[in-house]
């Protein structure tokens, strides 16, 4: 018999780790080639890890909820065939690596501060230094910050660490390592569960994705100086054109033609005109993105939100855009997105009009600097200017709501960009082919 190491595969740009959410196969179970062995979750999507070989699962090297790095061995599968010569040294090395991993996890559990339980704001840099240096949350909360609103700065924390190192230290107690997993010896303080005052309210814990979304939204508001610009757009020509061609489009392309790809096409054009909207911020530096990758906010059946990305959107014609929009939207609803499908976005569009909203003030999808909300299309009375004079007519109109990061995008750029999107939509050619 031979032993096959199942490793956590590379899952896309910037995805370096994943959390094991469920083992689909247990030790002793038979596994067919390409059959899913376990389920994992990144900070964006859930996915499955299949086996490349047929055999029997003989070892699970990680437990549910463990964090695993890309390339790490997560399971051992025994396959039919000649086994390689025994290698005691390799087995010892593997055992040592497992113990080191377990100790590392235990250390993180003990020393990593739970920042969510603090009322103070700490920057990502301060959090990272605190975790690396083993500074507890209680110690952080005692530091008098010199930053704005008494925030703890990098220098404040480094000064505290230096003073702590120079102070006399109590001798460390080294726990005895046994064969039992070290993690099992680490006890976590029980979380306080809210109690219903009247006994009739239902208390439901957020699921994993809701917790992640919550953290992202709060972090985005704390990071970017949000400001909004609104503009009303006459999309009568687009509505008439779509009504005229949607049946022929579906018959020829096998795809439904919604308004979303038409709007995405206009946004991609505007981003080419205003490349400083297609950027991200890293500290004091601005990163100008070479590709235009449009994020498309999509609601999931469970009420959560996900943002799949249309790569190189400016290079797609309307047919290609429609296929990309439908494919990502359908796979998002079915929970079939891959980690790479949500990576690399440079600008995001969200369609709040799907739920009847006239306009909205969306939160920026970090580290991007802008997000456009599409409002509901409505029939409204409007003044129509003609050479013969003005008159009142029924027009199809909608609002575009542009949220942008005022740290790097001023009103002139933010307003000009959304105006350019509106101009492209209002100048839509009703005689164009698809």
């Amino acid at each position: 018999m031979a032993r096959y190491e199942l490793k956590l595969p590379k899952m896309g740009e910037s995805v370096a780790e994943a959390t094991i959410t469920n083992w689909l196969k247990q030790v002793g179970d038979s596994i067919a080639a390409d059959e899913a062995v376990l389920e994992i979750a990144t900070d964006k999507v859930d996915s499955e890890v299949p086996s490349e070989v047929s055999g029997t699962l003989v070892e699970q090297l990680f437990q549910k909820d463990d964090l695993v790095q890309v390339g790490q061995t997560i399971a051992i599968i025994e396959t039919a065939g000649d086994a390689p010569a025994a290698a005691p040294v390799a087995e010892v090395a593997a055992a040592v690596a497992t113990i080191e991993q377990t100790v590392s996890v235990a250390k993180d559990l003990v020393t990593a501060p739970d920042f969510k339980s603090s009322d103070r704001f700490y920057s990502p840099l301060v959090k990272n230094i605190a975790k690396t240096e083993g500074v507890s949350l209680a110690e952080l909360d005692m530091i008098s910050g010199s930053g704005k609103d008494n925030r703890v700065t990098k220098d404040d924390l480094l000064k505290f660490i230096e003073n702590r190192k120079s102070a006399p230290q109590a001798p460390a107690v080294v726990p005895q390592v046994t064969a039992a997993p070290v993690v099992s010896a680490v006890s976590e303080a029980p979380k306080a569960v809210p109690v219903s005052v009247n006994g009739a309210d239902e208390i439901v814990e957020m699921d994993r994705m809701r917790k992640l979304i919550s953290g992202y939204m709060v972090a985005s508001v704390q990071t970017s100086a949000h400001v909004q610009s609104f503009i009303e757009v006459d999309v009568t020509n687009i509505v008439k054109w779509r009504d005229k061609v949607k049946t022929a489009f579906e018959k020829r392309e096998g795809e439904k033609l919604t308004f979303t790809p038409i709007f995405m096409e206009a946004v991609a054009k505007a981003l080419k005109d205003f490349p400083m909207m297609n950027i991200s911020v890293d500290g004091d530096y601005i990163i100008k993105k070479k590709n235009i990758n449009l994020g498309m906010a999509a609601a999931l059946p469970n009420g959560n939100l996900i943002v799949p990305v249309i790569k190189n959107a400016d290079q797609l014609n309307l047919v290609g855009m429609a296929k990309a929009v439908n494919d990502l939207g359908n796979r998002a609803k079915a929970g079939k997105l891959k980690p790479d499908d949500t990576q690399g976005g440079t600008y995001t569009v969200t369609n709040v009009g799907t739920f009847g909203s006239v306009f909205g003030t969306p939160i920026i999808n970090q580290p991007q600097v802008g997000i456009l909300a599409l409002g509901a299309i409505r029939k409204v009375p409007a003044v129509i200017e003609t050479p013969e004079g003005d008159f009142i007519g029924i027009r199809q109109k909608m609002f575009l709501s542009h949220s942008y990061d005022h740290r790097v995008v001023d009103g002139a750029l933010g307003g000009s960009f959304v105006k350019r999107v509106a101009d492209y939509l209002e100048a839509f050619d009703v005689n164009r082919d698809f």
Side-chain angles (χ1 to χ4, degrees), residues 41 209 279 296 303 307 338 341 390:
M209 182 172 283
I279 66 173
M296 181 184 73
V307 186
K338 299 177 181 178
D341 291 328
D390 298 342

Side-chain angles (χ1 to χ4, degrees), residues 228-231 352 358-362 371-375 399-403 418:
Q228 283 84 25
S229 293
F230 305 92
I231 192 167
V352 299
V358 178
F359 54 80
T361 55
I371 181 171
L372 185 70
L374 309 173
F399 282 98
L400 302 179
S401 310
H402 187 208
S403 294
V418 71

Side-chain angles (χ1 to χ4, degrees), residues 366-379:
Q366 297 294 330
Q368 300 165 23
V369 299
I371 181 171
L372 185 70
L374 309 173
I377 299 175
R378 303 165 301 135
K379 288 183 179 180

Side-chain angles (χ1 to χ4, degrees), residues 249-264:
F249 184 94
E250 184 173 4
K251 183 177 180 180
R252 192 185 85 177
E253 302 297 335
E255 299 280 352
K256 290 186 179 297
L257 178 62
T258 65
F259 288 109
T260 300
I262 301 174
F263 298 145
M264 288 292 198

Side-chain angles (χ1 to χ4, degrees), residues 142-204:
M142 289 190 301
I143 299 175
S144 178
S146 62
K148 184 179 179 182
D149 299 327
N150 297 320
R151 289 182 180 176
V152 176
T153 66
K154 169 188 172 183
D155 292 337
D156 296 332
L157 181 54
L158 292 178
K159 183 177 179 181
F160 171 83
I161 294 171
E162 185 63 29
N163 292 337
R164 187 178 67 172
K165 288 180 179 178
S166 62
Q169 299 291 322
V173 178
V174 181
Q176 182 179 1
V177 179
T178 67
V182 178
V183 177
S184 63
V186 179
S187 59
E188 295 184 0
K191 296 182 180 178
V193 179
V195 178
S196 173
V197 177
N198 57 18
D201 298 332
E202 182 183 5
I203 299 172
V204 180

Side-chain angles (χ1 to χ4, degrees), residues 210 212-222 305 363-365:
R210 189 74 255 166
L212 289 171
I213 294 172
S214 174
Y216 291 149
M217 296 300 99
V218 172
S220 180
V221 172
Q222 291 175 338
L305 181 72
I363 296 175
I364 295 169
N365 186 15

